[in-house]
Coordinates of all heavy atoms in Angstrom, one line a residue:
M1 N 6.3 10.3 -17.0 CA 6.1 10.8 -15.6 C 5.6 9.6 -14.7 O 4.8 8.9 -15.1 CB 5.1 11.9 -15.6 CG 4.6 12.3 -14.3 SD 3.3 13.6 -14.2 CE 3.1 14.1 -15.9
A2 N 6.2 9.5 -13.6 CA 5.9 8.5 -12.6 C 4.5 8.8 -12.0 O 4.0 9.9 -12.0 CB 7.0 8.3 -11.6
F3 N 3.9 7.8 -11.4 CA 2.6 7.9 -10.8 C 2.7 7.2 -9.4 O 3.2 6.1 -9.3 CB 1.6 7.1 -11.7 CG 0.2 7.2 -11.2 CD1 -0.6 8.3 -11.4 CD2 -0.4 6.1 -10.7 CE1 -1.9 8.4 -10.9 CE2 -1.7 6.1 -10.2 CZ -2.4 7.3 -10.4
V4 N 2.1 7.8 -8.4 CA 2.2 7.3 -7.0 C 0.8 7.2 -6.5 O -0.1 8.0 -6.7 CB 3.0 8.3 -6.2 CG1 3.0 7.9 -4.7 CG2 4.4 8.5 -6.7
R5 N 0.6 6.0 -5.8 CA -0.6 5.8 -5.1 C -0.3 5.7 -3.6 O 0.7 5.0 -3.2 CB -1.2 4.5 -5.5 CG -1.7 4.5 -6.9 CD -2.1 3.1 -7.4 NE -3.1 2.5 -6.4 CZ -4.3 2.0 -6.7 NH1 -4.6 2.0 -7.9 NH2 -5.0 1.6 -5.7
I6 N -1.0 6.4 -2.7 CA -0.8 6.4 -1.3 C -2.1 6.0 -0.6 O -3.1 6.7 -0.8 CB -0.3 7.7 -0.8 CG1 1.1 8.1 -1.4 CG2 -0.2 7.6 0.8 CD1 1.6 9.4 -1.0
G7 N -2.1 4.8 0.0 CA -3.2 4.4 0.8 C -3.0 4.7 2.3 O -1.9 4.2 2.8
R8 N -3.9 5.4 2.9 CA -3.7 5.7 4.4 C -4.8 4.9 5.1 O -5.9 4.9 4.7 CB -3.9 7.2 4.6 CG -2.8 8.0 4.0 CD -3.1 9.5 4.3 NE -2.0 10.3 3.8 CZ -1.9 10.8 2.6 NH1 -2.9 10.5 1.7 NH2 -0.9 11.6 2.2
F9 N -4.4 4.4 6.2 CA -5.4 3.6 7.1 C -4.9 3.5 8.5 O -3.7 3.7 8.8 CB -5.6 2.2 6.5 CG -4.4 1.4 6.3 CD1 -4.0 0.5 7.3 CD2 -3.7 1.4 5.1 CE1 -2.9 -0.3 7.2 CE2 -2.6 0.6 5.0 CZ -2.2 -0.2 6.0
R10 N -5.8 3.2 9.4 CA -5.5 3.0 10.8 C -5.7 1.5 11.0 O -6.7 0.9 10.5 CB -6.4 3.8 11.7 CG -6.1 5.3 11.5 CD -6.8 6.2 12.5 NE -6.3 6.0 13.9 CZ -5.2 6.4 14.4 NH1 -4.4 7.1 13.6 NH2 -4.9 6.2 15.7
A11 N -4.9 0.9 11.8 CA -5.0 -0.5 12.1 C -5.5 -0.7 13.6 O -5.3 0.1 14.4 CB -3.6 -1.2 12.0
L12 N -6.1 -1.8 13.8 CA -6.5 -2.2 15.1 C -5.2 -2.5 15.9 O -4.3 -3.2 15.4 CB -7.3 -3.5 15.1 CG -8.7 -3.3 14.4 CD1 -9.3 -4.7 14.1 CD2 -9.6 -2.4 15.1
P13 N -5.0 -2.0 17.1 CA -3.8 -2.2 17.9 C -3.3 -3.6 18.0 O -2.1 -3.9 17.9 CB -4.1 -1.5 19.2 CG -5.2 -0.6 19.0 CD -6.0 -1.2 17.9
D14 N -4.2 -4.5 18.2 CA -3.8 -5.9 18.4 C -3.6 -6.7 17.1 O -3.2 -7.9 17.1 CB -4.9 -6.7 19.3 CG -6.2 -6.7 18.6 OD1 -6.5 -5.8 17.8 OD2 -7.0 -7.6 19.0
R15 N -3.7 -6.0 16.0 CA -3.5 -6.6 14.7 C -2.3 -6.0 13.9 O -2.0 -6.5 12.8 CB -4.8 -6.5 13.8 CG -6.0 -7.2 14.4 CD -5.7 -8.7 14.5 NE -6.9 -9.4 14.7 CZ -7.1 -10.7 14.4 NH1 -6.0 -11.4 13.9 NH2 -8.2 -11.3 14.6
M16 N -1.7 -5.0 14.4 CA -0.6 -4.3 13.7 C 0.5 -5.2 13.3 O 1.0 -5.1 12.1 CB -0.1 -3.1 14.5 CG -1.1 -2.0 14.7 SD -0.4 -0.5 15.4 CE 0.2 -1.2 17.0
E17 N 1.0 -6.1 14.2 CA 2.2 -6.9 13.9 C 1.8 -7.9 12.7 O 2.6 -8.1 11.8 CB 2.6 -7.7 15.1 CG 3.9 -8.4 14.9 CD 4.4 -9.1 16.2 OE1 4.2 -8.5 17.3 OE2 4.9 -10.2 16.1
E18 N 0.6 -8.5 12.8 CA 0.2 -9.4 11.7 C 0.1 -8.7 10.4 O 0.5 -9.1 9.3 CB -1.1 -10.1 12.1 CG -1.5 -11.2 11.3 CD -2.7 -11.9 11.8 OE1 -3.3 -11.5 12.8 OE2 -3.1 -12.9 11.1
L19 N -0.5 -7.5 10.4 CA -0.7 -6.7 9.2 C 0.7 -6.4 8.6 O 0.9 -6.6 7.4 CB -1.4 -5.3 9.6 CG -1.6 -4.4 8.4 CD1 -2.9 -3.6 8.6 CD2 -0.4 -3.4 8.3
R20 N 1.6 -5.9 9.4 CA 3.0 -5.6 8.9 C 3.6 -6.8 8.2 O 4.2 -6.8 7.2 CB 3.9 -5.1 10.0 CG 3.6 -3.7 10.4 CD 4.7 -3.1 11.3 NE 5.0 -4.0 12.4 CZ 4.6 -3.9 13.7 NH1 3.8 -2.9 14.0 NH2 4.9 -4.8 14.6
A21 N 3.5 -8.0 8.9 CA 4.1 -9.2 8.4 C 3.5 -9.6 7.0 O 4.3 -9.9 6.1 CB 4.0 -10.3 9.4
I22 N 2.2 -9.6 6.9 CA 1.6 -9.9 5.7 C 1.9 -9.0 4.6 O 2.3 -9.4 3.4 CB 0.0 -10.0 5.8 CG1 -0.4 -11.2 6.7 CG2 -0.7 -10.1 4.5 CD1 -1.8 -11.2 7.2
Y23 N 1.9 -7.7 4.9 CA 2.2 -6.7 3.8 C 3.7 -6.8 3.4 O 4.0 -6.8 2.2 CB 2.0 -5.3 4.3 CG 1.7 -4.3 3.2 CD1 0.5 -4.1 2.7 CD2 2.8 -3.7 2.6 CE1 0.3 -3.3 1.6 CE2 2.6 -2.8 1.5 CZ 1.3 -2.6 1.0 OH 1.1 -1.8 -0.1
E24 N 4.6 -7.0 4.3 CA 6.0 -7.1 4.0 C 6.3 -8.4 3.2 O 7.1 -8.4 2.3 CB 6.9 -7.0 5.2 CG 8.4 -7.0 4.9 CD 9.2 -6.7 6.1 OE1 8.7 -6.8 7.3 OE2 10.4 -6.3 5.9
L25 N 5.8 -9.5 3.7 CA 6.1 -10.8 3.1 C 5.3 -11.2 1.8 O 5.8 -12.0 1.0 CB 6.0 -11.9 4.1 CG 6.9 -11.8 5.4 CD1 6.6 -12.8 6.4 CD2 8.3 -11.8 5.0
E26 N 4.1 -10.7 1.7 CA 3.2 -11.1 0.6 C 3.0 -9.9 -0.4 O 3.2 -10.0 -1.6 CB 1.9 -11.6 1.1 CG 2.1 -12.9 1.9 CD 0.8 -13.5 2.4 OE1 -0.2 -13.5 1.6 OE2 0.7 -14.0 3.5
A27 N 2.5 -8.8 0.2 CA 2.0 -7.7 -0.7 C 3.2 -7.0 -1.4 O 3.2 -6.9 -2.6 CB 1.2 -6.7 0.1
I28 N 4.2 -6.6 -0.7 CA 5.3 -5.9 -1.3 C 6.0 -6.7 -2.4 O 6.2 -6.2 -3.5 CB 6.4 -5.4 -0.2 CG1 5.7 -4.3 0.5 CG2 7.7 -5.0 -0.9 CD1 6.5 -3.7 1.7
P29 N 6.3 -8.0 -2.2 CA 6.9 -8.8 -3.3 C 6.0 -8.9 -4.5 O 6.4 -8.8 -5.7 CB 7.2 -10.1 -2.7 CG 7.3 -9.9 -1.2 CD 6.4 -8.8 -0.9
A30 N 4.7 -9.0 -4.3 CA 3.8 -9.2 -5.4 C 3.7 -7.8 -6.2 O 3.6 -7.8 -7.4 CB 2.4 -9.6 -4.9
I31 N 3.6 -6.7 -5.4 CA 3.5 -5.4 -6.1 C 4.8 -5.1 -6.9 O 4.7 -4.7 -8.0 CB 3.2 -4.3 -5.1 CG1 1.9 -4.5 -4.4 CG2 3.3 -2.9 -5.7 CD1 1.7 -3.7 -3.1
R32 N 5.9 -5.4 -6.3 CA 7.2 -5.1 -6.9 C 7.4 -6.0 -8.2 O 8.1 -5.6 -9.1 CB 8.4 -5.3 -6.0 CG 8.4 -4.2 -4.9 CD 9.6 -4.3 -4.0 NE 9.6 -3.2 -3.1 CZ 10.4 -3.2 -2.0 NH1 11.3 -4.2 -1.8 NH2 10.4 -2.2 -1.2
A33 N 6.8 -7.1 -8.2 CA 6.9 -8.0 -9.4 C 5.9 -7.6 -10.5 O 6.1 -8.0 -11.7 CB 6.5 -9.5 -9.0
A34 N 5.0 -6.7 -10.3 CA 4.1 -6.2 -11.3 C 4.8 -5.3 -12.3 O 5.7 -4.5 -11.9 CB 2.9 -5.4 -10.7
K35 N 4.4 -5.5 -13.6 CA 5.0 -4.7 -14.6 C 4.8 -3.2 -14.4 O 3.8 -2.7 -14.1 CB 4.4 -5.0 -16.0 CG 5.0 -4.3 -17.1 CD 4.3 -4.7 -18.4 CE 5.1 -3.9 -19.5 NZ 4.3 -3.7 -20.7
G36 N 6.0 -2.5 -14.4 CA 5.9 -1.0 -14.3 C 6.1 -0.5 -12.8 O 6.1 0.7 -12.6
N37 N 6.1 -1.4 -11.9 CA 6.3 -1.0 -10.5 C 7.7 -0.6 -10.2 O 8.7 -1.2 -10.6 CB 5.9 -2.1 -9.5 CG 6.0 -1.5 -8.1 OD1 7.0 -1.8 -7.4 ND2 5.0 -0.8 -7.6
V38 N 7.9 0.6 -9.6 CA 9.2 1.1 -9.3 C 9.5 0.8 -7.8 O 10.7 0.5 -7.5 CB 9.2 2.7 -9.6 CG1 10.6 3.3 -9.1 CG2 9.0 3.0 -11.0
S39 N 8.5 1.0 -7.0 CA 8.8 0.7 -5.6 C 7.4 0.5 -4.8 O 6.4 1.0 -5.3 CB 9.5 1.9 -4.9 OG 9.8 1.6 -3.6
A40 N 7.5 -0.2 -3.7 CA 6.3 -0.4 -2.8 C 6.9 -0.4 -1.4 O 7.8 -1.2 -1.1 CB 5.6 -1.7 -3.2
V41 N 6.2 0.3 -0.5 CA 6.7 0.4 0.9 C 5.4 0.5 1.8 O 4.4 1.0 1.3 CB 7.7 1.5 1.2 CG1 9.0 1.3 0.4 CG2 7.1 2.9 0.9
L42 N 5.6 0.1 3.0 CA 4.6 0.3 4.0 C 5.2 1.1 5.1 O 6.3 0.8 5.6 CB 4.1 -1.0 4.6 CG 3.0 -0.9 5.7 CD1 1.7 -0.3 5.2 CD2 2.8 -2.2 6.4
L43 N 4.6 2.3 5.4 CA 5.2 3.2 6.5 C 4.2 3.1 7.7 O 3.0 3.1 7.6 CB 5.2 4.6 6.0 CG 6.0 4.9 4.7 CD1 6.0 6.3 4.3 CD2 7.5 4.4 4.8
Q44 N 4.9 3.1 8.9 CA 4.1 3.1 10.1 C 4.6 4.4 10.9 O 5.8 4.6 11.1 CB 4.4 1.9 11.0 CG 3.6 1.9 12.3 CD 3.8 0.6 13.1 OE1 4.8 -0.1 12.9 NE2 2.9 0.3 14.0
D45 N 3.6 5.2 11.3 CA 3.9 6.5 12.0 C 4.5 6.2 13.3 O 4.1 5.3 14.0 CB 2.5 7.2 12.1 CG 2.7 8.6 12.6 OD1 3.2 8.8 13.7 OD2 2.3 9.5 11.8
H46 N 5.5 7.0 13.6 CA 6.2 6.8 14.9 C 5.4 7.3 16.1 O 5.4 6.7 17.1 CB 7.6 7.6 14.9 CG 8.7 6.8 14.4 ND1 10.0 6.9 14.9 CD2 8.8 5.9 13.4 CE1 10.8 6.0 14.2 NE2 10.1 5.4 13.3
A47 N 4.7 8.4 15.9 CA 3.9 9.0 17.0 C 2.6 8.3 17.2 O 2.1 8.1 18.3 CB 3.7 10.5 16.7
E48 N 1.9 8.0 16.1 CA 0.6 7.3 16.1 C 0.8 5.9 15.5 O 0.6 5.7 14.3 CB -0.4 8.1 15.3 CG -0.7 9.4 16.0 CD -1.8 10.2 15.2 OE1 -2.8 9.5 14.8 OE2 -1.7 11.4 15.0
R49 N 1.2 5.0 16.3 CA 1.6 3.6 15.8 C 0.5 2.9 15.0 O 0.8 2.1 14.2 CB 2.0 2.7 17.0 CG 3.2 3.3 17.8 CD 4.4 3.5 17.0 NE 5.0 2.3 16.5 CZ 6.0 2.2 15.6 NH1 6.5 3.3 15.0 NH2 6.5 1.1 15.3
E50 N -0.8 3.3 15.2 CA -1.9 2.6 14.5 C -2.0 3.2 13.1 O -2.8 2.7 12.3 CB -3.2 2.8 15.2 CG -3.2 2.0 16.6 CD -2.7 2.9 17.7 OE1 -2.5 4.1 17.5 OE2 -2.5 2.4 18.8
S51 N -1.3 4.3 12.8 CA -1.4 5.0 11.5 C -0.4 4.5 10.5 O 0.8 4.4 10.8 CB -1.3 6.5 11.7 OG -1.5 7.1 10.5
F52 N -0.9 4.1 9.3 CA 0.0 3.5 8.2 C -0.2 4.2 6.9 O -1.3 4.7 6.7 CB -0.3 2.0 8.0 CG 0.1 1.1 9.1 CD1 -0.7 0.9 10.3 CD2 1.3 0.5 9.1 CE1 -0.3 0.1 11.3 CE2 1.7 -0.4 10.1 CZ 0.9 -0.6 11.2
M53 N 0.8 4.1 6.1 CA 0.7 4.6 4.7 C 1.3 3.5 3.8 O 2.4 3.0 4.1 CB 1.4 5.9 4.4 CG 0.7 7.1 4.9 SD 1.3 8.7 4.2 CE 3.0 8.6 4.5
A54 N 0.5 3.0 2.8 CA 1.1 2.1 1.8 C 1.3 2.9 0.6 O 0.4 3.5 0.0 CB 0.1 0.9 1.6
I55 N 2.6 2.9 0.1 CA 3.0 3.8 -1.0 C 3.5 2.9 -2.1 O 4.4 2.0 -1.9 CB 4.0 4.8 -0.6 CG1 3.5 5.6 0.5 CG2 4.5 5.6 -1.8 CD1 4.6 6.6 1.1
T56 N 2.9 3.0 -3.3 CA 3.4 2.4 -4.5 C 3.8 3.4 -5.6 O 3.1 4.4 -5.7 CB 2.4 1.4 -5.1 OG1 1.2 2.0 -5.4 CG2 2.1 0.2 -4.1
I57 N 4.9 3.2 -6.2 CA 5.4 4.1 -7.3 C 5.4 3.3 -8.5 O 6.0 2.2 -8.6 CB 6.8 4.7 -6.9 CG1 6.7 5.4 -5.6 CG2 7.2 5.6 -8.0 CD1 8.0 5.9 -5.1
W58 N 4.8 3.9 -9.6 CA 4.7 3.2 -10.9 C 5.4 4.0 -12.0 O 5.4 5.3 -11.9 CB 3.2 3.0 -11.2 CG 2.5 2.2 -10.2 CD1 1.9 2.7 -9.0 CD2 2.4 0.8 -10.1 NE1 1.5 1.6 -8.3 CE2 1.8 0.5 -8.9 CE3 2.8 -0.2 -11.0 CZ2 1.5 -0.9 -8.6 CZ3 2.6 -1.5 -10.6 CH2 1.9 -1.8 -9.5
S59 N 5.8 3.4 -13.0 CA 6.4 4.1 -14.2 C 5.5 5.0 -14.8 O 5.8 6.1 -15.3 CB 6.9 3.1 -15.2 OG 8.0 2.3 -14.7
G60 N 4.2 4.7 -14.8 CA 3.1 5.5 -15.3 C 1.8 5.1 -14.8 O 1.6 4.0 -14.3
V61 N 0.8 6.0 -15.1 CA -0.6 5.7 -14.6 C -1.1 4.4 -15.2 O -1.8 3.6 -14.6 CB -1.5 6.9 -14.9 CG1 -1.7 7.1 -16.3 CG2 -2.8 6.7 -14.1
E62 N -0.7 4.1 -16.5 CA -1.2 2.9 -17.1 C -0.8 1.6 -16.4 O -1.5 0.7 -16.3 CB -0.7 2.8 -18.6 CG -1.1 4.0 -19.4 CD -0.2 5.2 -19.3 OE1 0.8 5.2 -18.6 OE2 -0.6 6.3 -19.8
D63 N 0.5 1.6 -15.9 CA 1.0 0.5 -15.1 C 0.2 0.3 -13.8 O -0.2 -0.9 -13.5 CB 2.4 0.6 -14.8 CG 3.3 0.6 -16.0 OD1 3.1 -0.3 -16.9 OD2 4.2 1.5 -16.2
A64 N -0.1 1.3 -13.1 CA -0.9 1.3 -11.9 C -2.3 0.8 -12.2 O -2.9 0.0 -11.5 CB -0.9 2.6 -11.2
E65 N -2.9 1.3 -13.3 CA -4.3 0.9 -13.6 C -4.3 -0.6 -14.0 O -5.3 -1.3 -13.7 CB -4.8 1.8 -14.7 CG -5.1 3.2 -14.2 CD -5.5 4.2 -15.3 OE1 -5.4 3.8 -16.5 OE2 -6.0 5.3 -15.0
R66 N -3.3 -1.0 -14.7 CA -3.2 -2.4 -15.1 C -3.2 -3.3 -13.9 O -3.9 -4.3 -13.8 CB -2.0 -2.7 -16.0 CG -1.9 -4.1 -16.6 CD -0.7 -4.5 -17.4 NE -0.2 -3.6 -18.4 CZ 0.6 -2.5 -18.2 NH1 1.1 -2.2 -17.1 NH2 1.0 -1.8 -19.2
Y67 N -2.3 -3.0 -12.9 CA -2.2 -3.7 -11.7 C -3.6 -3.7 -11.0 O -4.1 -4.8 -10.5 CB -1.1 -3.2 -10.8 CG -1.0 -3.8 -9.5 CD1 -0.5 -5.1 -9.4 CD2 -1.5 -3.2 -8.3 CE1 -0.4 -5.7 -8.1 CE2 -1.4 -3.8 -7.1 CZ -0.9 -5.1 -7.0 OH -0.8 -5.7 -5.8
E68 N -4.2 -2.6 -10.9 CA -5.5 -2.4 -10.2 C -6.6 -3.3 -10.9 O -7.3 -4.0 -10.2 CB -5.9 -1.0 -10.2 CG -7.2 -0.7 -9.5 CD -7.2 -0.8 -8.0 OE1 -6.1 -0.5 -7.4 OE2 -8.2 -1.1 -7.4
S69 N -6.6 -3.2 -12.2 CA -7.7 -4.0 -12.9 C -7.4 -5.5 -13.0 O -8.3 -6.2 -13.3 CB -7.8 -3.4 -14.3 OG -6.7 -3.7 -15.1
S70 N -6.2 -5.9 -12.7 CA -5.9 -7.3 -12.7 C -6.5 -8.0 -11.5 O -6.6 -9.3 -11.5 CB -4.4 -7.5 -12.6 OG -3.9 -7.2 -11.3
G71 N -7.0 -7.3 -10.5 CA -7.5 -7.9 -9.3 C -6.5 -8.1 -8.2 O -6.9 -8.4 -7.0
Q72 N -5.2 -8.0 -8.5 CA -4.2 -8.2 -7.5 C -4.3 -7.2 -6.4 O -4.1 -7.5 -5.2 CB -2.8 -8.2 -8.1 CG -2.5 -9.4 -9.0 CD -1.1 -9.2 -9.5 OE1 -0.8 -8.4 -10.3 NE2 -0.2 -10.1 -9.0
A73 N -4.6 -5.9 -6.7 CA -4.6 -4.9 -5.6 C -5.7 -5.2 -4.6 O -5.5 -5.2 -3.4 CB -4.8 -3.5 -6.3
S74 N -6.9 -5.5 -5.1 CA -8.0 -5.8 -4.2 C -7.7 -7.1 -3.4 O -8.1 -7.2 -2.2 CB -9.3 -5.9 -4.9 OG -9.3 -6.9 -5.8
A75 N -7.0 -8.1 -4.0 CA -6.7 -9.3 -3.3 C -5.7 -9.0 -2.2 O -5.8 -9.6 -1.1 CB -6.1 -10.3 -4.3
M76 N -4.8 -8.1 -2.4 CA -3.8 -7.8 -1.3 C -4.5 -7.0 -0.2 O -4.3 -7.3 1.0 CB -2.7 -6.9 -1.9 CG -1.7 -7.7 -2.7 SD -1.0 -9.0 -1.8 CE -0.8 -10.2 -3.1
V77 N -5.4 -6.1 -0.5 CA -6.2 -5.4 0.5 C -7.0 -6.4 1.3 O -7.1 -6.3 2.5 CB -7.0 -4.3 -0.1 CG1 -8.0 -3.7 0.9 CG2 -6.2 -3.2 -0.7
D78 N -7.6 -7.3 0.6 CA -8.4 -8.3 1.3 C -7.6 -9.1 2.4 O -8.2 -9.5 3.4 CB -9.1 -9.3 0.3 CG -10.2 -8.7 -0.4 OD1 -10.7 -7.6 0.0 OD2 -10.6 -9.2 -1.5
K79 N -6.3 -9.3 2.1 CA -5.5 -10.1 3.0 C -5.2 -9.3 4.3 O -4.9 -9.9 5.4 CB -4.2 -10.4 2.4 CG -4.3 -11.5 1.3 CD -2.9 -11.8 0.8 CE -3.0 -13.0 -0.2 NZ -1.9 -13.8 -0.2
I80 N -5.4 -8.0 4.3 CA -5.1 -7.2 5.5 C -6.3 -6.5 6.1 O -6.2 -5.8 7.1 CB -3.9 -6.2 5.3 CG1 -4.2 -5.2 4.2 CG2 -2.6 -7.0 5.1 CD1 -3.2 -4.1 4.1
R81 N -7.4 -6.6 5.4 CA -8.7 -5.9 5.7 C -9.1 -6.2 7.2 O -9.6 -5.3 7.9 CB -9.8 -6.3 4.8 CG -11.0 -5.4 5.0 CD -12.1 -5.7 3.9 NE -11.6 -5.7 2.5 CZ -11.5 -4.6 1.8 NH1 -11.8 -3.4 2.4 NH2 -11.1 -4.6 0.6
F82 N -8.8 -7.4 7.7 CA -9.2 -7.8 9.0 C -8.5 -6.9 10.1 O -9.0 -6.8 11.2 CB -8.7 -9.2 9.3 CG -7.2 -9.4 9.4 CD1 -6.6 -9.3 10.7 CD2 -6.5 -9.6 8.3 CE1 -5.2 -9.4 10.8 CE2 -5.1 -9.7 8.4 CZ -4.5 -9.6 9.6
A83 N -7.4 -6.2 9.7 CA -6.7 -5.4 10.7 C -7.1 -3.9 10.6 O -6.6 -3.1 11.4 CB -5.2 -5.5 10.4
F84 N -7.9 -3.5 9.7 CA -8.3 -2.1 9.5 C -9.2 -1.6 10.7 O -10.2 -2.3 11.0 CB -9.0 -1.8 8.2 CG -8.1 -1.9 7.0 CD1 -8.7 -1.9 5.7 CD2 -6.8 -2.0 7.0 CE1 -8.0 -2.0 4.6 CE2 -6.0 -2.1 5.9 CZ -6.6 -2.1 4.6
A85 N -8.9 -0.5 11.2 CA -9.8 0.1 12.2 C -10.8 1.0 11.6 O -11.7 1.5 12.2 CB -8.9 1.0 13.2
G86 N -10.8 1.2 10.3 CA -11.7 2.0 9.5 C -11.4 1.9 8.1 O -10.4 1.2 7.7
P87 N -12.1 2.5 7.2 CA -11.9 2.4 5.8 C -10.6 3.1 5.4 O -10.3 4.2 5.9 CB -13.1 3.0 5.1 CG -13.7 3.9 6.2 CD -13.3 3.3 7.5
P88 N -9.8 2.5 4.4 CA -8.6 3.2 3.9 C -9.0 4.4 3.0 O -10.1 4.4 2.5 CB -7.9 2.1 3.2 CG -9.0 1.2 2.8 CD -10.0 1.2 3.8
V89 N -8.1 5.3 2.9 CA -8.2 6.4 2.0 C -7.1 6.4 1.0 O -6.0 6.2 1.3 CB -8.2 7.8 2.8 CG1 -8.2 9.0 1.8 CG2 -9.3 7.9 3.8
L90 N -7.5 6.4 -0.3 CA -6.5 6.3 -1.4 C -6.4 7.7 -2.1 O -7.4 8.3 -2.5 CB -6.9 5.2 -2.4 CG -6.0 5.1 -3.6 CD1 -4.6 4.6 -3.2 CD2 -6.6 4.2 -4.6
N91 N -5.1 8.1 -2.3 CA -4.8 9.3 -3.1 C -3.8 8.9 -4.1 O -3.0 8.1 -3.9 CB -4.3 10.4 -2.2 CG -5.3 10.9 -1.2 OD1 -5.2 10.5 0.0 ND2 -6.2 11.8 -1.6
T92 N -3.9 9.6 -5.2 CA -2.9 9.4 -6.3 C -2.3 10.7 -6.7 O -2.8 11.8 -6.6 CB -3.6 8.8 -7.6 OG1 -4.7 9.7 -8.0 CG2 -4.2 7.4 -7.2
Y93 N -1.0 10.6 -7.2 CA -0.2 11.7 -7.5 C 0.6 11.5 -8.7 O 1.1 10.4 -9.0 CB 0.8 12.0 -6.3 CG 0.1 12.2 -5.0 CD1 -0.2 11.1 -4.2 CD2 -0.2 13.5 -4.5 CE1 -0.8 11.3 -3.0 CE2 -0.8 13.7 -3.3 CZ -1.1 12.6 -2.5 OH -1.7 12.7 -1.3
D94 N 0.9 12.6 -9.5 CA 1.9 12.6 -10.5 C 3.2 12.8 -9.7 O 3.2 13.7 -8.8 CB 1.7 13.7 -11.5 CG 0.5 13.4 -12.4 OD1 0.2 12.2 -12.7 OD2 -0.2 14.4 -12.9
A95 N 4.3 12.1 -10.1 CA 5.5 12.3 -9.4 C 6.6 12.8 -10.3 O 6.8 12.3 -11.4 CB 5.9 10.9 -8.8
F96 N 7.4 13.7 -9.8 CA 8.5 14.3 -10.6 C 9.8 14.0 -10.0 O 9.9 13.9 -8.7 CB 8.3 15.8 -10.7 CG 6.9 16.1 -11.3 CD1 5.8 16.3 -10.5 CD2 6.7 16.2 -12.7 CE1 4.5 16.6 -11.0 CE2 5.5 16.4 -13.2 CZ 4.4 16.6 -12.4
G97 N 10.8 13.8 -10.7 CA 12.2 13.5 -10.2 C 12.4 12.1 -9.9 O 13.4 11.7 -9.3
I98 N 11.5 11.2 -10.3 CA 11.8 9.8 -10.2 C 12.2 9.2 -11.5 O 11.5 9.4 -12.5 CB 10.5 9.0 -9.7 CG1 10.1 9.6 -8.3 CG2 10.7 7.5 -9.7 CD1 8.8 9.0 -7.8
A99 N 13.3 8.5 -11.6 CA 13.8 8.0 -12.8 C 13.0 6.8 -13.3 O 12.4 6.1 -12.6 CB 15.3 7.6 -12.7

């Protein structure tokens, strides 16, 4: 069964462009290179432009935990923390229908 992590956060309006660039050019390639990663995306809300979701999909919970415990996840968050308007919220899900 696949495993999904969704981080929700709001960005400072004057830092959104920089946040998107760092996440797209640095975080996504690093996450996708991690063992067991199926996908990684950053979503920006159309109506509330400061609202974002970072979604990672993993082959299993073990892969996500391995990535988290490696320190890479916190290193990526540290690269964009300057742009947060408040603390992020992380939720995790079992995912069905993902090959």
